[in-house]
Amino acid sequence: MPQLNADLAGFSRDIGMHNLAPLWERTRRMQPCTPCEPALWRYADTRPLLARATSLITTRDAERRVLVLENPALRGSFQITQSLFAGLQIILPGEIAPSHRHTPNALRFIIEGEGAYTAVDGERTPMAPGDFVVTPNWTWHDHGNLGTAPVVWLDGLDTPFAQLFGAVFRENHPQESQPVTRAAGDAAARYGANLLPLDYHAGHTHGRSPLLRYPYARTRESLEQLAKSAAPHPVHGVKPRYVNPATGGHAFPTMAAFMQWLPRGFDGRGYRCTDGAVYCVVEGRGAIHVGDERLEFAAHDCFVIPPWRAHRFTAHADCDCVLFSFSDRWEQESLGFWRETPD
Amino acid sequence: MPQLNADLAGFSRDIGMHNLAPLWERTRRMQPCTPCEPALWRYADTRPLLARATSLITTRDAERRVLVLENPALRGSFQITQSLFAGLQIILPGEIAPSHRHTPNALRFIIEGEGAYTAVDGERTPMAPGDFVVTPNWTWHDHGNLGTAPVVWLDGLDTPFAQLFGAVFRENHPQESQPVTRAAGDAAARYGANLLPLDYHAGHTHGRSPLLRYPYARTRESLEQLAKSAAPHPVHGVKPRYVNPATGGHAFPTMAAFMQWLPRGFDGRGYRCTDGAVYCVVEGRGAIHVGDERLEFAAHDCFVIPPWRAHRFTAHADCDCVLFSFSDRWEQESLGFWRETPD
Amino acid sequence: MPQLNADLAGFSRDIGMHNLAPLWERTRRMQPCTPCEPALWRYADTRPLLARATSLITTRDAERRVLVLENPALRGSFQITQSLFAGLQIILPGEIAPSHRHTPNALRFIIEGEGAYTAVDGERTPMAPGDFVVTPNWTWHDHGNLGTAPVVWLDGLDTPFAQLFGAVFRENHPQESQPVTRAAGDAAARYGANLLPLDYHAGHTHGRSPLLRYPYARTRESLEQLAKSAAPHPVHGVKPRYVNPATGGHAFPTMAAFMQWLPRGFDGRGYRCTDGAVYCVVEGRGAIHVGDERLEFAAHDCFVIPPWRAHRFTAHADCDCVLFSFSDRWEQESLGFWRETPD
Amino acid sequence: MPQLNADLAGFSRDIGMHNLAPLWERTRRMQPCTPCEPALWRYADTRPLLARATSLITTRDAERRVLVLENPALRGSFQITQSLFAGLQIILPGEIAPSHRHTPNALRFIIEGEGAYTAVDGERTPMAPGDFVVTPNWTWHDHGNLGTAPVVWLDGLDTPFAQLFGAVFRENHPQESQPVTRAAGDAAARYGANLLPLDYHAGHTHGRSPLLRYPYARTRESLEQLAKSAAPHPVHGVKPRYVNPATGGHAFPTMAAFMQWLPRGFDGRGYRCTDGAVYCVVEGRGAIHVGDERLEFAAHDCFVIPPWRAHRFTAHADCDCVLFSFSDRWEQESLGFWRETPD
């Protein structure tokens, strides 16, 4: 940046009145940077707070009883990274989170409890721990708990993209619960069995996965098989991505979601990539090393790794780890912004 | 066509010497037509002939012990339609069909017997009745029967395309059986569970499905669910297509494959489409009505419906029918040639 | 192929009655081969025959006054390669080739004469020597000559594909000339200027180019610039492909078209590829060497190179050569069949 | 939003310590909104300020002598909308804007002056008024003015996306001007003439246009032809989009660019869409009506229309208008966020 003399300073003031700013005064040159910081939310801390929330506010009053995971460096923004929203939602037996739709895409990753469902497109999808459930852009959705215990899941949304675009839209459904028009399991049979309906055209779907639910039983079976049949990747262990079965793309046009297996004792290599990622621990114990920080994690903990921050994974010696994660990698890749490097 | 006078006739002779022909003498205007005819091969007839073949020639001598299903109107061509090859292959316990590769894509649909495998890309895929197995263009493949009974399957190839292109290539593998380098089930875990490896790029695969096998158990479960959750299509019943999980396209760049459920008593509407299709009956009994012909079918029978030939399906009153089929529809669709119409 | 004994011979006879054939008796193993042969049509020979045709039959009687370029090895087939049709069409001043449409895609490459047009989608596209004009699948088209001299062009069609599919359809337009609904130059302005209409969706076009005409003036200007700015390719010289501006694909879903510049004295390397190609010489003199054959060519000559046949180009020492060509390469590439190799 | 009682307020404080926030306290429900406001920059105001800048700072000191067009509602952000950067750049005869590269994509729209160039990929592209020039993501680029008068252009970048992703990277080239390795006009001949090199693969380019420059002469000729051959769109007049000739997509993976012709006296219909757009007036005079505001524009003025803000165009009775514009529409469309409606 040039030495600023009095004339330049005066000039800057003058042009300011015309809604103009001098590029040469930008405080820093372009460089990869983000305000957001790594952070971990222990389930041991968040679970009791979720319980307390249930005694203070109903799902009906809250519309969605969600504790937002806010990046410590982005307080007040409702953001966990600059491009992602994450929150922990709890719903009690008998409660209903009323039906609405919005332009941000939403994912659910089930942490605890049986018996809840997410209704999308007239189908009620049961949710069990470890399941990955998608609620694409502008689809009516409501949640209910038909079970006998509270159900907790991680919500992930791409709200910051919709905000960046000025394209946040939202509507309430006339009914609290949308009518059930499709049998449970219909989407799984239609799209999840390596088959597609004769007349299905992915071209009209903007890359949204028609498969509402990726059941953990099947995902885990696949991870175990892969862990047996090949050596783990030095950085990632075994890490497949969830697929839109109608395109081979990711589960959402914006967000990519992943499941990751770290064999017991895994001591991962350092790595950085431009997509900041939100993790939820499914099984096992381990640590994520970010710079000098070492964040110990256990089942149900959530953590965030900022973009372009060097990090590496280790798994406890006596248990395999399973980690769910999501990020904006898909969008970065398709736009040509995504980078990775060993570190 | 114009009245041909002597001068024109002489002209035609003269230009013939220059490898020229008069377009106006083409015997017929463009119109949809095909030399091929509908035909049905009863398993009651073909199975004993397959057995007799096993006593006359070994798989090693035959390289592939296949009885080619030849369209009655295309005898000598080894074609069941102008664009497709179909054959019945039988392999005895202990036999090996040696490893080779070729540019035509090949599919297998298993008709009878347990214990056989197809090895592709270093993985041995077990084959059970009703399974759909793909051998993409130019992949090494060999078959073996580790069971105690003969195994029979339907082979489908797009050889006529390769011939049209003048692009038929073939190689023998140095070993009779290619080395096994991947655990059984590896491809299913990698590509079949609505997941994909992080580093998988479908762009390099020319639309070939990396999923070696579509197990019948899963396909049938899907069909049954769909048969319950929606009314059957008036022409097709319940008819999904097999999908390349990495693209959402069909199993091959040329050939589309389908599975079809006709509920008992199904009385289908008349229909015609430009793709001629080869069928193999998996379960049940019924009939295909083509023009005035009525071809009764039972389990394991194979039949062919020519392009643009009006036809309709009926299922016997006391059993649901399951039909496997394949055709060149995918290629016709992507090139803009495919048509269908009620009839 | 195994030694055939009496039993096997009898078996083959027996299964024949069931429309079955023994694969092991196939006369040859899979290998790249084509019946078609290289051939060249000298304009010095064909032009007088075209003239004579004009005196013997009218365009109205002939519908299209075309002399079909028939491969010497495929006489009677109306094919120049197994997958392509080519013909020379002549139209006299005042004549009209009446409006019709058909499923085969058609291209025109203008050889001689000014003042003719091709009408497609309600627009009359003027045709000048060297222009490449497309008539996509199922578009109404008619030709007329508003000039004062005969006009001659090369027709190229993918009829054999439509025949293979059993999907040859054809219709006459109620009027001899379709109504003109778009100004001349409309398609060029809409699609040819590196712009597209806001609401244009290539997805619905099956890869058909909306750009009716690729004018030679512009193509040649581009070739000359490229010939100056880079060394010629050792095999191809300077050889761009015509592009569908709405997709970046080829001009047709089936056929690829190319223009080629061989600098004077060009002495090309040997080469073979699986797509058989039809050439039309635009400018210059040279030779195509196929095996031991040496085919001398001059402006307006047409020739064919069969699939997988080794060949090389040479250009006369005193003139640059410009060659138009088309083949089924695009389809072979998209299906994964296409191969090339130095030779 | 529920009535907040003391307990809830206390709860919110408590969870705050854990980097958690109560979703039910979000101050507003999701709704389309943007902080940014419509604004217009008169060239009559900005041009003298650009001149004054030339006397105060050199291009070398400034690196890029750019006056940033800052949205009045986003002062300090260097943003004209939340997703776009725009600025006016002036370069004097003999000056060089040194070579660098960065991950944000950049476009130039030339406003005034002849003789300047942008060098990208080793080719120097001349810039004339009305030309649209692209500098894709991570390509080395430098500018120079070889003429005798100052040259002014509009810069447009997608920097906010790179910032959102945390993927802003930047590098200086070792030399002030990158070496010239390709003849001027090479990219135009290679990619701009509805031809593509045989070996060009768009798949590796992340949708970046290889065509460096869209000359105004050709664009305007196309607009005039279209204005003659069809009635103007009631909202947009004649408005094509710039195309990536290798894909049929937009000029950038993020940003779409458009050219627009409003015939004299055009009185456009009201309209709103979710992409906020930056405009630069090329020819003519008219007005943009946004809500109750009426912004009169003349040649070289720039203005911005926020996302989802109702607006309509009028053109002065005695002159046709030509407007250049760019927005993030392409990305919104591909992600499924884009909407439009009459208003």
Side-chain angles (χ1 to χ4, degrees):
Chain A
M1 195 171 74
Q3 192 50 49
L4 289 184
N5 56 42
D7 297 347
L8 269 179
F11 179 72
S12 299
R13 275 192 306 279
D14 298 346
I15 64 175
M17 297 180 306
H18 296 276
N19 298 315
L20 297 170
L23 185 63
W24 54 86
E25 282 188 20
R26 64 191 182 293
T27 50
R28 56 170 182 72
R29 290 296 182 75
M30 290 180 175
Q31 55 185 276
C33 79
T34 172
C36 75
E37 288 301 329
L40 183 141
W41 290 263
R42 286 198 169 61
Y43 203 58
D45 301 326
T46 52
R47 184 63 179 85
L49 294 167
L50 286 162
R52 200 173 132 204
T54 62
S55 67
L56 290 167
I57 189 167
T58 64
T59 284
R60 182 169 288 96
D61 285 343
E63 187 180 353
R64 298 289 190 259
R65 193 193 287 112
V66 171
L67 303 187
V68 181
L69 303 178
E70 245 181 2
N71 193 289
L74 299 169
R75 296 307 307 277
S77 70
F78 277 20
Q79 298 172 358
I80 190 163
T81 72
Q82 286 182 289
S83 64
L84 298 171
F85 168 100
L88 293 171
Q89 182 160 180
I90 185 165
I91 181 167
L92 299 180
E95 283 192 319
I96 288 173
S99 195
H100 66 196
R101 63 179 179 177
H102 41 66
T103 47
N105 294 282
L107 65 83
R108 331 280 166 199
F109 185 74
I110 316 311
I111 292 174
E112 172 191 330
E114 302 274 352
Y117 65 83
T118 287
V120 171
D121 289 341
E123 177 175 342
R124 288 186 171 181
T125 306
M127 306 196 287
D131 291 354
F132 168 58
V133 173
V134 304
T135 312
N137 176 308
W138 208 240
T139 49
W140 293 113
H141 56 283
D142 46 270
H143 313 287
N145 184 344
L146 307 173
T148 58
V151 171
V152 178
W153 65 75
L154 174 70
D155 283 312
L157 283 84
D158 55 12
T159 316
F161 283 106
Q163 289 166 335
L164 183 79
F165 292 138
V168 182
F169 294 85
R170 185 192 170 291
E171 260 178 37
N172 285 327
H173 195 282
Q175 293 147 280
E176 183 175 56
S177 300
Q178 64 183 296
V180 174
T181 59
R182 292 162 55 204
D186 186 69
R190 226 172 261 284
Y191 311 110
N194 298 313
L195 303 167
L196 278 180
L198 259 191
D199 56 359
Y200 187 79
H201 293 297
H204 310 148
T205 64
H206 293 292
R208 298 172 200 134
S209 175
L211 185 58
L212 304 181
R213 174 178 172 238
Y214 299 74
Y216 185 52
R218 190 144 169 240
T219 305
R220 196 187 194 293
E221 179 186 18
S222 168
L223 287 170
E224 268 194 279
Q225 163 80 55
L226 294 172
K228 265 181 270 150
S229 61
H233 184 284
V235 169
H236 305 299
V238 172
K239 188 180 181 182
R241 62 179 180 87
Y242 290 95
V243 166
N244 174 344
T247 65
H250 290 264
F252 298 98
T254 46
M255 297 184 286
F258 311 90
M259 197 62 114
Q260 192 164 3
W261 174 285
L262 306 177
R264 56 201 60 196
F266 182 76
D267 184 10
R269 277 213 205 119
Y271 174 78
R272 57 169 75 194
C273 53
T274 52
D275 57 312
V278 178
Y279 286 79
C280 183
V281 182
V282 190
E283 302 180 29
R285 285 174 301 124
I288 171 77
H289 308 254
V290 191
D292 304 337
E293 276 185 282
R294 170 194 172 84
L295 302 170
E296 301 275 352
F297 58 71
H300 307 342
D301 294 348
C302 294
F303 58 89
V304 59
I305 300 170
W308 210 239
R309 193 66 68 88
H311 61 277
R312 62 188 203 83
F313 289 96
T314 53
H316 195 288
D318 61 15
C319 56
D320 303 317
C321 287
V322 181
L323 307 176
F324 169 84
S325 61
F326 68 97
S327 80
D328 61 13
R329 173 173 168 170
W330 182 214
E331 188 169 4
Q332 288 199 38
E333 278 188 296
S334 48
L335 297 177
F337 284 102
W338 189 75
R339 294 185 181 198
E340 65 179 342
T341 178
D343 189 288
Chain B
M1 199 170 73
Q3 192 47 50
L4 288 185
N5 56 40
D7 296 348
L8 270 178
F11 179 71
S12 300
R13 274 192 305 279
D14 296 348
I15 65 177
M17 299 180 306
H18 296 277
N19 297 316
L20 296 170
L23 185 63
W24 53 86
E25 283 188 19
R26 66 192 180 292
T27 51
R28 58 169 178 70
R29 291 295 181 75
M30 291 181 175
Q31 54 186 278
C33 78
T34 173
C36 74
E37 287 302 327
L40 183 140
W41 289 263
R42 285 198 171 61
Y43 203 59
D45 300 327
T46 53
R47 183 63 179 84
L49 294 169
L50 287 162
R52 201 174 132 204
T54 63
S55 67
L56 290 168
I57 190 165
T58 64
T59 283
R60 181 167 287 96
D61 286 343
E63 186 179 354
R64 299 291 189 259
R65 193 194 288 111
V66 172
L67 303 188
V68 181
L69 304 177
E70 244 180 3
N71 194 288
L74 300 169
R75 296 307 307 277
S77 70
F78 276 19
Q79 299 172 357
I80 190 162
T81 72
Q82 285 181 290
S83 64
L84 298 172
F85 168 100
L88 293 171
Q89 180 160 180
I90 184 166
I91 181 166
L92 298 180
E95 284 192 317
I96 288 173
S99 196
H100 66 197
R101 62 178 179 177
H102 40 66
T103 48
N105 295 281
L107 65 83
R108 330 282 167 198
F109 184 75
I110 316 312
I111 293 174
E112 172 192 329
E114 303 274 353
Y117 65 82
T118 287
V120 171
D121 289 341
E123 177 175 344
R124 287 190 172 180
T125 305
M127 306 196 288
D131 291 355
F132 168 58
V133 173
V134 305
T135 312
N137 176 308
W138 209 237
T139 49
W140 293 113
H141 56 282
D142 46 270
H143 312 286
N145 183 346
L146 307 173
T148 57
V151 172
V152 178
W153 64 77
L154 174 70
D155 283 312
L157 284 84
D158 56 12
T159 316
F161 284 105
Q163 288 165 334
L164 183 79
F165 293 138
V168 181
F169 295 84
R170 187 192 169 289
E171 262 178 36
N172 285 328
H173 195 282
Q175 293 147 281
E176 183 175 53
S177 300
Q178 64 183 296
V180 174
T181 60
R182 292 161 56 203
D186 186 70
R190 226 171 261 283
Y191 310 110
N194 298 313
L195 303 167
L196 279 179
L198 260 190
D199 56 359
Y200 186 80
H201 294 297
H204 310 147
T205 64
H206 293 292
R208 298 172 198 134
S209 176
L211 185 58
L212 304 182
R213 172 179 173 238
Y214 298 75
Y216 186 51
R218 190 145 167 239
T219 305
R220 196 186 194 295
E221 178 187 18
S222 168
L223 288 171
E224 268 194 278
Q225 163 79 56
L226 293 172
K228 266 181 269 150
S229 61
H233 184 284
V235 169
H236 305 299
V238 172
K239 187 179 181 183
R241 61 178 181 87
Y242 289 95
V243 166
N244 174 344
T247 64
H250 290 263
F252 299 97
T254 45
M255 296 184 285
F258 310 90
M259 197 61 114
Q260 190 166 4
W261 174 284
L262 306 177
R264 57 199 60 194
F266 182 75
D267 184 9
R269 276 214 204 118
Y271 173 78
R272 57 169 76 193
C273 53
T274 52
D275 57 311
V278 178
Y279 287 79
C280 182
V281 181
V282 192
E283 302 180 29
R285 285 174 301 128
I288 171 75
H289 310 254
V290 191
D292 305 337
E293 276 185 280
R294 169 195 173 84
L295 303 170
E296 302 274 354
F297 58 72
H300 307 341
D301 293 349
C302 294
F303 58 91
V304 58
I305 301 171
W308 209 240
R309 192 67 68 89
H311 61 276
R312 62 187 203 81
F313 290 96
T314 53
H316 195 287
D318 62 15
C319 57
D320 303 318
C321 288
V322 181
L323 307 175
F324 169 84
S325 61
F326 69 97
S327 81
D328 61 13
R329 173 173 167 170
W330 181 215
E331 187 169 3
Q332 288 199 39
E333 278 189 295
S334 49
L335 297 177
F337 284 102
W338 189 74
R339 296 186 180 196
E340 65 180 341
T341 178
D343 189 289
Chain C
M1 198 171 74
Q3 194 48 50
L4 288 185
N5 55 41
D7 296 348
L8 270 179
F11 179 71
S12 299
R13 272 193 307 279
D14 297 348
I15 65 175
M17 298 180 306
H18 296 278
N19 298 315
L20 297 170
L23 185 64
W24 54 85
E25 283 189 20
R26 66 191 180 294
T27 51
R28 57 169 179 73
R29 289 295 182 75
M30 290 180 176
Q31 55 186 277
C33 79
T34 172
C36 74
E37 288 300 330
L40 182 141
W41 290 263
R42 285 197 171 61
Y43 202 58
D45 301 326
T46 52
R47 184 63 180 83
L49 295 168
L50 286 163
R52 200 173 134 206
T54 63
S55 67
L56 289 168
I57 190 166
T58 64
T59 283
R60 181 167 288 98
D61 285 343
E63 185 179 353
R64 297 292 189 259
R65 194 194 287 110
V66 171
L67 303 188
V68 181
L69 304 177
E70 242 180 6
N71 194 288
L74 300 169
R75 296 307 308 277
S77 71
F78 276 20
Q79 298 174 356
I80 190 163
T81 73
Q82 284 181 290
S83 64
L84 298 171
F85 168 100
L88 293 171
Q89 181 161 179
I90 185 165
I91 181 166
L92 299 179
E95 283 191 318
I96 288 173
S99 196
H100 65 197
R101 63 179 180 178
H102 40 66
T103 48
N105 295 281
L107 64 84
R108 331 280 167 199
F109 185 75
I110 318 311
I111 292 174
E112 173 191 329
E114 303 274 354
Y117 66 82
T118 287
V120 172
D121 289 341
E123 177 175 343
R124 286 187 173 181
T125 305
M127 306 196 287
D131 290 355
F132 168 58
V133 173
V134 304
T135 311
N137 174 310
W138 209 237
T139 49
W140 293 112
H141 56 283
D142 47 271
H143 313 287
N145 184 345
L146 306 173
T148 58
V151 172
V152 179
W153 65 76
L154 173 70
D155 283 313
L157 284 84
D158 55 12
T159 316
F161 284 106
Q163 288 166 334
L164 182 79
F165 292 138
V168 181
F169 295 84
R170 186 191 170 291
E171 260 178 36
N172 285 328
H173 196 284
Q175 294 147 279
E176 184 175 54
S177 299
Q178 64 183 295
V180 174
T181 58
R182 293 162 54 203
D186 186 69
R190 228 173 260 284
Y191 310 110
N194 297 313
L195 303 167
L196 278 180
L198 261 190
D199 57 358
Y200 186 79
H201 293 298
H204 310 147
T205 65
H206 293 292
R208 297 170 200 138
S209 175
L211 184 58
L212 304 183
R213 173 178 172 239
Y214 299 74
Y216 186 51
R218 190 143 169 241
T219 304
R220 196 185 194 297
E221 178 186 19
S222 168
L223 288 171
E224 267 194 278
Q225 164 79 54
L226 294 172
K228 268 181 269 150
S229 62
H233 184 283
V235 169
H236 306 299
V238 172
K239 188 179 181 183
R241 61 177 180 88
Y242 290 94
V243 167
N244 175 343
T247 64
H250 290 263
F252 298 97
T254 46
M255 297 184 286
F258 310 90
M259 197 62 115
Q260 191 164 3
W261 175 283
L262 307 176
R264 57 200 60 196
F266 182 76
D267 184 9
R269 278 217 202 113
Y271 174 79
R272 57 169 75 195
C273 53
T274 52
D275 57 312
V278 179
Y279 287 78
C280 182
V281 182
V282 192
E283 300 180 32
R285 286 174 301 127
I288 171 75
H289 309 253
V290 191
D292 305 337
E293 278 185 279
R294 168 194 173 84
L295 303 171
E296 302 274 353
F297 59 71
H300 307 341
D301 293 349
C302 293
F303 57 89
V304 57
I305 300 170
W308 209 238
R309 192 68 66 90
H311 61 276
R312 63 188 202 82
F313 290 96
T314 53
H316 196 288
D318 61 16
C319 54
D320 304 317
C321 287
V322 181
L323 307 177
F324 169 83
S325 60
F326 69 97
S327 80
D328 61 12
R329 174 173 167 170
W330 182 215
E331 187 168 5
Q332 289 199 37
E333 277 189 295
S334 49
L335 297 177
F337 283 102
W338 189 75
R339 294 185 180 197
E340 65 179 343
T341 178
D343 188 286
Chain D
M1 198 171 72
Q3 192 50 52
L4 288 184
N5 56 42
D7 296 349
L8 270 179
F11 179 71
S12 299
R13 275 192 304 281
D14 297 349
I15 64 176
M17 299 180 305
H18 295 278
N19 298 316
L20 297 170
L23 185 63
W24 54 85
E25 283 187 18
R26 68 190 178 292
T27 51
R28 57 171 181 71
R29 291 297 183 75
M30 290 180 177
Q31 54 185 277
C33 79
T34 172
C36 73
E37 287 301 329
L40 183 141
W41 290 262
R42 287 198 169 58
Y43 202 57
D45 300 327
T46 52
R47 183 63 179 84
L49 294 168
L50 287 162
R52 203 173 132 203
T54 61
S55 66
L56 290 167
I57 190 167
T58 64
T59 283
R60 182 169 287 95
D61 284 343
E63 186 179 353
R64 297 291 190 261
R65 192 193 289 110
V66 171
L67 303 188
V68 182
L69 302 178
E70 244 181 4
N71 193 288
L74 299 169
R75 297 305 309 275
S77 70
F78 277 19
Q79 297 172 359
I80 190 163
T81 72
Q82 285 181 289
S83 63
L84 297 171
F85 167 100
L88 293 171
Q89 181 160 180
I90 185 165
I91 182 166
L92 297 180
E95 284 192 319
I96 288 172
S99 196
H100 65 197
R101 63 179 178 177
H102 40 67
T103 47
N105 295 282
L107 65 84
R108 330 281 168 198
F109 185 75
I110 317 311
I111 293 174
E112 172 192 330
E114 302 274 354
Y117 65 83
T118 287
V120 171
D121 289 341
E123 177 175 343
R124 288 188 172 181
T125 305
M127 306 196 287
D131 290 355
F132 168 58
V133 173
V134 304
T135 311
N137 177 308
W138 209 237
T139 49
W140 293 113
H141 56 284
D142 47 86
H143 313 288
N145 183 346
L146 306 173
T148 58
V151 171
V152 179
W153 65 76
L154 173 70
D155 283 312
L157 284 84
D158 56 10
T159 315
F161 283 105
Q163 288 166 334
L164 183 79
F165 292 138
V168 182
F169 294 84
R170 185 191 170 290
E171 258 179 38
N172 285 327
H173 195 282
Q175 294 147 279
E176 184 176 53
S177 299
Q178 63 183 297
V180 174
T181 58
R182 292 162 53 202
D186 186 68
R190 229 173 258 284
Y191 311 110
N194 298 313
L195 302 167
L196 278 179
L198 260 191
D199 57 358
Y200 186 80
H201 293 298
H204 310 144
T205 65
H206 293 293
R208 298 171 199 135
S209 176
L211 185 58
L212 304 181
R213 171 178 174 239
Y214 299 73
Y216 186 52
R218 190 144 168 240
T219 304
R220 197 187 193 293
E221 178 186 19
S222 168
L223 288 171
E224 267 194 277
Q225 163 80 56
L226 293 172
K228 265 181 272 151
S229 62
H233 184 284
V235 168
H236 305 299
V238 172
K239 187 180 182 183
R241 62 179 181 85
Y242 290 95
V243 166
N244 175 343
T247 65
H250 290 264
F252 298 98
T254 46
M255 296 184 285
F258 311 90
M259 197 62 115
Q260 191 164 3
W261 174 284
L262 306 177
R264 56 199 61 194
F266 182 75
D267 184 9
R269 277 214 204 118
Y271 173 78
R272 56 169 76 195
C273 53
T274 53
D275 57 312
V278 178
Y279 286 78
C280 182
V281 182
V282 191
E283 301 180 30
R285 283 173 302 127
I288 171 77
H289 308 254
V290 192
D292 305 336
E293 277 186 281
R294 169 194 173 83
L295 302 171
E296 302 274 354
F297 58 72
H300 306 342
D301 293 349
C302 294
F303 58 89
V304 57
I305 300 171
W308 209 238
R309 192 68 67 90
H311 62 277
R312 62 188 204 83
F313 289 96
T314 53
H316 195 287
D318 62 16
C319 56
D320 302 318
C321 289
V322 181
L323 307 175
F324 169 83
S325 61
F326 68 97
S327 80
D328 61 12
R329 173 173 167 169
W330 182 214
E331 187 168 3
Q332 289 199 38
E333 277 189 296
S334 48
L335 297 177
F337 283 103
W338 189 75
R339 293 186 183 198
E340 66 180 342
T341 178
D343 189 285

